[in-house]
Amino acid sequence: MTPIFRTRDAERLALARYRELLDEWPVPHTHCMVPSGMGETFVLSCGPSEGPPLVLLHGAQANAASWLVDAAIWARHFRVHILDMPGQPGLSAPSRLVPASRAALCWLDDLMDGLGLVNASFAGISLGGWMALSYAVSRPGRVAQLVLISPAGIGRQRAFLLKAWPYLTLGQWGLRKIRRMVIGPAAGALSPFHAKLASLMEYIGLHARIQPIVLPRFSDAALGSLAMPVMAVLGGKDVLLDSAHTRARLERCVPHACIHWRPEAFHFVTREAETIQAFLLAPDARGTP
């Protein structure tokens, strides 16, 4: 099994910083390890226990920490469950999860059952968006609402690694350059906690091994089968996915989808928590802003 991090020291430091960040997160929360066919999965939960459940799936080279800013807002109304995907730089089992496999669907079944959830709303970004979409297509009765942020599997996947390959030979400077191409320019002044979160995500980006993933696109029929409320947030400057193609396919195949097009946003679209919350609290809303 290929290690997730480039070195053992980097893994120890990254996970120690991750645990420290979770300890400092001001939102009351619990965490547990849920058994599954892929090994144990780390789940962080917050929000009122009686609130409607919301499951969050992060992208590649990330973990539950990437959702903390948004989860702090959503936890006012929802019981939020953030999963560390197996095989990614988090606290779950290191076994690689193959997204386009029955094992991945069974993994989510195991997590839903382990959390005692019959169904839930799902939000996913990038790879996590593909996973959430796959689950909605295959297990429609278990997905109440679906939020997709820069989702893979709908629009064409760009040959970004060909463009980024020269930077991979330039050490950490090159890796930082690649990261900026994906997430956009650095934000302005941050709170101490947000700065620590950004530092952790950058450290993971520099020290976790890049996992090239080519995800199959969903058919028109699969997309057309989505009957639950669907929202998508797309960035016009996405270097990993052809977001215009994603938008066109959603408009054609999922006409009830609420599509938020952000022409100046990159692959990692930020500051959408309130917009997403409004959609989740008013699931019958339709239209494209």
Side-chain angles (χ1 to χ4, degrees):
M1 183 185 299
T2 303
I4 297 171
F5 286 88
R6 299 177 188 276
T7 68
R8 290 184 180 273
D9 286 343
E11 178 178 12
R12 282 193 290 269
L13 180 55
L15 297 185
R17 291 174 64 176
Y18 180 23
R19 292 187 178 96
E20 181 180 305
L21 187 75
L22 296 180
D23 289 341
E24 294 178 9
W25 192 39
V27 177
H29 61 279
T30 61
H31 52 79
C32 64
M33 301 298 291
V34 178
S36 76
M38 296 297 299
E40 288 192 320
T41 296
F42 176 80
V43 181
L44 183 150
S45 301
C46 57
S49 58
E50 70 281 4
L54 172 61
V55 175
L56 306 182
L57 297 172
H58 60 75
Q61 286 192 290
N63 54 40
S66 61
W67 286 109
L68 293 183
V69 174
D70 292 345
I73 295 172
W74 299 334
R76 301 169 191 163
H77 301 280
F78 300 92
R79 183 60 174 174
V80 182
H81 303 284
I82 318 177
L83 315 184
D84 266 0
M85 209 174 294
Q88 295 294 332
L91 299 174
S92 293
S95 50
R96 297 286 187 192
L97 186 67
V98 179
S101 68
R102 179 171 175 77
L105 291 174
C106 292
W107 168 70
L108 277 172
D109 283 339
D110 291 342
L111 268 293
M112 292 285 283
D113 294 343
L115 293 170
L117 303 178
V118 176
N119 59 23
S121 296
F122 276 73
I125 181 169
S126 192
L127 170 62
W130 193 99
M131 295 285 295
L133 179 53
S134 175
Y135 202 63
V137 169
S138 302
R139 308 282 195 268
R142 305 203 79 167
V143 180
Q145 299 163 286
L146 181 62
V147 176
L148 305 170
I149 306 170
S150 303
I154 303 176
R156 288 179 288 265
Q157 188 165 336
R158 299 187 189 277
F160 178 68
L161 276 183
L162 293 178
K163 184 177 181 179
W165 186 257
Y167 295 105
L168 293 175
T169 64
L170 300 177
Q172 292 200 349
W173 182 91
L175 291 172
R176 286 192 175 92
K177 177 68 174 179
I178 292 171
R179 181 171 174 79
R180 296 294 177 264
M181 293 164 69
V182 173
I183 70 172
L190 300 174
S191 70
F193 179 82
H194 288 184
K196 202 166 189 176
L197 171 58
S199 177
L200 171 63
M201 291 295 101
E202 179 167 358
Y203 186 86
I204 288 173
L206 293 175
H207 295 280
R209 295 178 186 275
I210 294 177
Q211 305 172 38
I213 303 173
V214 178
L215 295 167
R217 290 206 299 270
F218 293 91
S219 67
D220 287 358
L223 294 175
S225 72
L226 298 172
M228 71 287 293
V230 177
M231 173 182 174
V233 183
L234 310 173
K237 293 184 176 180
D238 193 329
V239 297
L240 299 183
L241 302 166
D242 186 340
S243 52
H245 188 218
T246 298
R247 180 184 186 179
R249 290 198 69 210
L250 285 172
E251 289 175 340
R252 184 178 75 251
C253 300
V254 195
H256 67 272
C258 181
I259 304 171
H260 293 260
W261 177 256
R262 305 299 187 231
E264 297 302 314
F266 291 75
H267 182 69
F268 187 65
V269 187
T270 60
R271 300 190 178 114
E272 296 291 338
E274 296 286 359
T275 302
I276 291 169
Q277 178 169 271
F279 168 81
L280 292 171
L281 291 175
D284 292 330
R286 294 293 185 266
T288 302

